[in-house]
Amino acid sequence: MTSTLTTAPRTDPLDAAADLLALLQDTTTEPRPNDQLSALTLAVSADLPVLLWGEPGIGKTAALTQLADSLDLPLTTVIASVHEPSDFSGLPVVGDDPAVQGVPMAPPDWAVRLVRAGRGLLFLDELSTAPPAVQAALLRVVLERRIGSLALPPGVRIVAAANPRASAADGWELSPPLANRFVHLGWAHEHEVVVRGLGGTWPRAALPLLDRAALPEAVAFARRAVCGLLTARPALVHRLPKNEVARGGAWPSPRSWEMTLRLVAFATAAGVSRDVLSLLVRGTVGDGPGLELLAAIDRMDLPDPEELLADPAAAVLPERGDLRQTVLEGVVEAVRSRPERGRWDAAWVIMARALESGAPDVVVVPASTLAALRREDWEVPATIERLAGVVSLGRRADRAAAGRAAAGRAAAVAGRGR
Amino acid sequence: MTALDEEKLYAARLHAARSRPYLATALFALRVVESRQVPTMAVDEHWRCYASPAFVERTPLPELAAVWVHEVSHLLRDHHGRGERFARENGLHGAGERLRRNIAADCEINDDGFDDELPLQAGALRPGLLRLPDGLLMEEYLRLFRLGPHTDAFGWLDCGSGVDGVARGWDLGAGGAHGLSARERDAVRFRVAEGIKGRPGSAPDGWERWAEKAFHPPQPWRELLGAAVRSAVSGAGVGEDYTYGRPARRSAGLPGVVLPSLRRRPPRVCVIVDTSRSVSDAELGSALLEVAAIVRAVGGRRDLVTVLSCDAAAHVTGPLCRAEGMTLVGGGGTDLRVGFARAVRRCRPDVIVALTDGQTPWPEAAPPCRTVVGLFPRVGVADEGDPDYEPDEPPEWARVVELG
């Protein structure tokens, strides 16, 4: 009897709906570099707690799903706002004899599953809509990695998400000591990505991979960069945010510098771009100190003036005018600090090379300074002939500033080199 | 066809860098690209500078140097990003808007920092030509004028995609050679800003203001005040506590255990209004309305919000409080110490919000509740009798939000 029913053509209206849904879900991916996602991946692999700041509905959860997929970690999402504080600090369970055994604090099931798996990505979503007491309990999970009596194994990585203060209904914010423990990453959607994704093609980011051979070098580089900056700028070591705008964000302290050092090492070993490193560093110690560190790292990339002077014919100068001028000024400073005939000549060779390979105005100021360093008995090298154009360029700029007496003197200095 | 007179262009850059040393880094970071499509000179967001050979030839060198400074200013001041944000927020797009953004950006740049040494071109746009005041930001100018006969003279303006974010035919794009990445652009802007901050007085006021704000964009005070008040009112310990008076909703699942349940009573908020001088009724009114709205949004009841007013402000606060259903309690001195003491004694508040211009002595010790201070900008000299009078800074224990 029943068999006749099953052989009849099915007319369930939900079948067509299921087909349509399947078609809608049939999307492809394409590789597309994504700095946000690379930064998030690096911070997660460096085992630092990340806090994603982003408006609701811009794809934070989707990004986390993709991250968990690519790191091959099971994803556990906990929506903070639907939990009570005791879900994170543990629920009391009364045993036979509380006076003897005490009352154990039982963890919730998701925590038990996470610990049993030994590894996973714990995503604490919607932190900012949870009541303050729940947030306080959650922060213990993030910072001490404990849920009730359970300790999270090292294989579990934690990412939290919050809405920016301005858009959060209850205006939750981190106190400066708590903010200092997070890597803050702003999360914004890219218009093109969203449009293309809705059209059926979502981006797939290439995840940074650590190069095992480069690990010791990466650590040395990170230490040199951070220690170099902090030696020169002791004031950057610790600076509490003072104004209302900077509250709850990243700020520099020995703790966040240690996190920064770790991130620089990870970024170096993974070979990610400086743009990604910039997101991470500024999200850890704040914009100002972060940019200063990046500038220091840029300077480490510039050729060393002493090496240039040792082999001026092989000198390779940076393409960008401002960096090039920094290098040339460094060369002139090196000659000034130890003025010798050979070094002075070598510096002229470098100036001539700079002139051959880039804009001439960049050379004018360093060349005039170098000319002024000439001693009585030093003969003008032949290479200076080639710099005649620069001198005339400088003169032309001086003529433009004819009203100024000082400019006239500068021209005289440039001319004396000739 | 004229060839690009590179020597002249670079001599002009050198002149610009010498007369505006604080911009030298940014000027030298620009990459010159010859282009015959550009009407004059233009920049793109990747810090390339497109130059028209004919324009370079016909422009005197000092004016060419001023154009360099003008173009690099667009990039340093991030007109590209700001213009796009403005367009998105206000839903303004199209060719006319592109021109309007260019005009507003030029107004922001050209009203400050040019002189005989770096003379603006004769036809250059200044706010005065559109009967606009000097010293405003691009966004403010954008709200002040429309295209019309008076802007027709500037239809030729085109400083490139670096100003408005609309791609041009001549742009090399992100993939083109020698562009600066977002991080490199930030690094250059940062170095210029640090250079200006490191030598105060060396740059015009407009640039010093820019350097202060370059990496700390001002946030709208409404949002900051809202966040401060919300966080004070809804913070842990304000009007809430665990209680054993009623069973927790989870008690049923744990027989034998008495769990505390969370109870909350609406927070009491006391707003102290001190308007001795210099605060406009409109400003005060909007700040007060803001506080009232926030308190209501977080569950405050009308009867739990009190406003303590100075006599001078009664004419503002009175009607406002009637309209908002707040309770106006007595007058008070312009001495905020009196105001705080009275607030604590009379209202026993969970949170005190003080709206003041800061021309007052502050209480020695923190009141037994959270405090938010909304600080109105101070105008002019504080005390006629003592021109050197400097009011105290608001105390450490208060969260301070600068209004307006």
Side-chain angles (χ1 to χ4, degrees):
Chain A
M1 287 285 276
T2 48
S3 63
T4 53
L5 273 177
T6 47
T7 49
R10 295 177 58 179
T11 52
D12 191 341
L14 277 184
D15 282 350
D19 289 348
L20 183 56
L21 285 174
L23 272 179
L24 280 169
Q25 276 161 14
D26 186 19
T27 56
T28 54
T29 58
E30 62 182 355
R32 184 191 168 96
N34 183 330
D35 286 351
Q36 289 182 138
L37 195 56
S38 303
L40 172 63
T41 313
L42 262 190
V44 165
S45 47
D47 200 13
L48 295 172
V50 181
L51 184 58
L52 299 182
W53 291 97
E55 304 287 338
I58 54 160
K60 294 191 290 275
T61 313
L64 260 290
T65 312
Q66 197 194 351
L67 177 68
D69 271 354
S70 45
L71 292 177
D72 195 21
L73 288 173
L75 177 68
T76 306
T77 303
V78 177
I79 310 274
S81 49
V82 298
H83 286 272
E84 288 193 3
S86 48
D87 289 346
F88 301 107
S89 54
L91 289 152
V93 178
V94 186
D96 291 339
D97 193 350
V100 177
Q101 292 161 354
V103 179
M105 304 295 271
D109 64 330
W110 56 264
V112 175
R113 278 201 303 272
L114 252 182
V115 172
R116 199 176 296 148
R119 51 203 287 283
L121 187 61
L122 175 57
F123 179 39
L124 305 170
D125 201 1
E126 303 283 338
L127 237 63
S128 43
T129 45
V134 174
Q135 288 162 3
L138 261 177
L139 286 164
R140 184 162 171 263
V141 177
V142 175
L143 304 172
E144 294 172 31
R145 308 177 59 95
R146 294 193 74 88
I147 300 155
S149 52
L150 269 188
L152 290 175
V156 174
R157 302 294 158 91
I158 302 171
V159 177
N163 299 331
R165 267 203 305 177
S167 67
D170 53 0
W172 178 65
E173 62 182 22
L174 295 173
S175 69
L178 293 178
N180 198 233
R181 290 170 160 93
F182 279 108
V183 178
H184 302 252
L185 290 181
W187 206 259
H189 72 271
E190 270 180 78
H191 177 74
E192 274 172 55
V193 169
V194 172
V195 173
R196 208 165 150 67
L198 293 174
T201 312
W202 289 102
R204 182 179 68 243
L207 296 166
L209 290 175
L210 300 178
D211 175 8
R212 272 177 192 280
L215 299 188
E217 205 180 306
V219 174
F221 178 83
R223 292 204 167 127
R224 202 163 72 237
V226 172
C227 300
L229 175 70
L230 295 185
T231 311
R233 298 288 317 273
L236 288 184
V237 172
H238 191 270
R239 206 158 62 187
L240 257 164
K242 284 214 180 67
N243 63 11
E244 194 64 24
V245 180
R247 274 178 74 98
W251 56 277
S253 76
R255 186 209 325 270
S256 53
W257 279 115
E258 195 187 338
M259 289 160 60
T260 304
L261 199 150
R262 201 193 287 191
L263 288 167
V264 174
F266 268 77
T268 312
V272 295
S273 73
R274 289 279 158 81
D275 292 301
V276 173
L277 181 62
S278 163
L279 290 178
L280 289 167
V281 168
R282 289 163 70 175
T284 312
V285 287
D287 273 340
L291 285 161
E292 290 209 32
L293 177 68
L294 290 160
I297 291 177
D298 281 347
R299 278 197 298 277
M300 287 165 66
D301 282 349
L302 295 180
D304 179 26
E306 290 300 334
E307 280 172 27
L308 289 177
L309 286 172
D311 187 6
V316 178
L317 298 166
E319 276 291 329
R320 252 173 64 194
D322 55 330
L323 299 181
R324 177 171 283 228
Q325 199 181 30
T326 310
V327 171
L328 295 179
E329 278 166 3
V331 168
V332 174
E333 271 315 297
V335 174
R336 188 203 300 278
S337 65
R338 192 151 58 83
E340 285 165 20
R341 175 71 204 271
R343 289 161 66 82
W344 192 68
D345 286 348
W348 282 113
V349 177
I350 297 168
M351 297 294 159
R353 283 192 65 87
L355 199 59
E356 283 160 17
S357 56
D361 56 340
V362 174
V363 189
V364 172
V365 175
S368 358
T369 329
L370 187 62
L373 291 179
R374 188 168 88 94
R375 299 281 164 92
E376 284 295 309
D377 54 332
W378 292 355
E379 277 174 41
V380 178
T383 43
I384 289 193
E385 293 295 336
R386 279 190 271 159
L387 288 160
V390 173
V391 176
S392 77
L393 183 82
R395 287 225 187 88
R396 210 165 157 181
D398 291 337
R399 270 205 303 281
R404 289 189 311 162
R409 280 198 298 278
V413 170
R416 215 180 300 138
R418 191 57 255 289
Chain B
M1 287 278 241
T2 44
L4 179 63
D5 185 351
E6 287 202 345
E7 195 193 303
K8 182 175 179 184
L9 192 57
Y10 286 127
R13 178 160 80 170
L14 187 62
H15 175 53
R18 279 186 183 166
S19 42
R20 301 289 181 271
Y22 50 91
L23 298 179
T25 302
L27 284 166
F28 288 132
L30 275 172
R31 181 81 182 191
V32 174
V33 179
E34 178 179 346
S35 170
R36 289 176 197 281
Q37 291 165 274
V38 196
T40 54
M41 268 164 76
V43 283
D44 70 9
E45 59 164 321
H46 305 284
W47 285 61
R48 296 191 200 88
C49 181
Y50 303 88
S52 142
F55 174 74
V56 171
E57 192 183 65
R58 71 169 182 262
T59 309
L61 202 148
E63 286 181 19
L64 202 56
V67 176
W68 269 108
V69 169
H70 176 94
E71 297 299 334
V72 88
S73 305
H74 281 308
L75 296 173
L76 282 170
R77 287 160 180 255
D78 191 24
H79 284 153
H80 160 78
R82 285 164 55 196
E84 280 199 335
R85 267 198 298 284
F86 186 88
R88 216 171 32 237
E89 281 162 17
N90 298 283
L92 299 169
H93 298 282
E97 274 305 304
R98 181 206 69 69
L99 178 61
R100 238 166 55 82
R101 263 185 272 168
N102 208 146
I103 289 177
D106 278 13
C107 283
E108 180 186 307
I109 293 173
N110 287 355
D111 61 3
D112 192 14
F114 294 93
D115 51 21
D116 293 346
E117 200 177 27
L118 278 186
L120 278 176
Q121 285 178 280
L125 179 63
R126 288 183 192 77
L129 295 177
L130 302 179
R131 273 168 289 165
L132 296 171
D134 278 3
L136 301 185
L137 295 175
M138 171 182 169
E139 290 82 353
E140 294 168 314
Y141 284 123
L142 275 171
R143 292 202 175 86
L144 286 181
F145 75 99
R146 289 174 188 206
L147 294 183
H150 56 295
T151 60
D152 278 354
F154 302 104
W156 55 272
L157 266 186
D158 191 351
C159 293
S161 59
V163 180
D164 49 39
V166 183
R168 303 293 200 281
W170 57 74
D171 276 358
L172 295 182
H178 304 302
L180 264 61
S181 72
R183 185 197 65 84
E184 289 170 323
R185 301 197 286 267
D186 275 355
V188 172
R189 302 222 324 268
F190 180 74
R191 273 163 66 188
V192 172
E194 289 295 293
I196 293 174
K197 277 197 276 185
R199 272 165 305 194
S202 64
D205 292 348
W207 279 110
E208 300 215 334
R209 267 199 308 277
W210 169 80
E212 280 304 315
K213 304 278 183 207
F215 285 89
H216 301 287
Q219 285 201 13
W221 63 263
R222 263 167 231 283
E223 288 170 12
L224 285 175
L225 180 67
V229 173
R230 271 197 295 261
S231 119
V233 172
S234 63
V238 176
E240 71 178 14
D241 205 352
Y242 285 92
T243 166
Y244 292 88
R246 275 187 205 212
R249 54 194 172 96
R250 285 183 172 182
S251 291
L254 288 165
V257 180
V258 183
L259 290 175
S261 62
L262 192 57
R263 286 287 156 245
R264 184 172 176 87
R265 63 184 166 80
R268 259 185 244 268
V269 177
C270 183
V271 185
I272 304 177
V273 180
D274 160 31
T275 53
S276 40
R277 263 157 253 174
S278 78
V279 179
S280 77
D281 288 7
E283 276 180 315
L284 177 66
S286 62
L288 203 54
L289 271 179
E290 196 72 18
V291 173
I294 294 158
V295 169
R296 207 171 317 132
V298 295
R301 293 205 314 260
R302 284 182 166 194
D303 56 320
L304 294 177
V305 183
T306 45
V307 176
L308 240 151
S309 156
C310 311
D311 293 330
H315 59 285
V316 193
T317 50
L320 201 69
C321 292
R322 268 199 299 283
E324 287 294 307
M326 295 180 283
T327 325
L328 189 64
V329 182
T334 47
D335 186 342
L336 266 191
R337 289 176 301 193
V338 179
F340 270 89
R342 185 167 307 183
V344 170
R345 208 171 51 243
R346 280 208 199 164
C347 324
R348 304 201 174 284
D350 296 302
V351 176
I352 292 180
V353 180
L355 301 174
T356 170
D357 57 2
Q359 318 247 0
T360 173
W362 296 94
E364 291 288 316
C369 59
R370 291 170 193 237
T371 307
V372 175
V373 173
L375 208 56
F376 290 105
R378 192 156 32 94
V379 188
V381 182
D383 192 334
E384 293 95 23
D386 177 11
D388 293 332
Y389 168 73
E390 277 280 325
D392 296 335
E393 294 276 304
E396 291 273 310
W397 39 260
R399 303 250 327 238
V400 182
V401 177
E402 284 181 26
L403 310 177

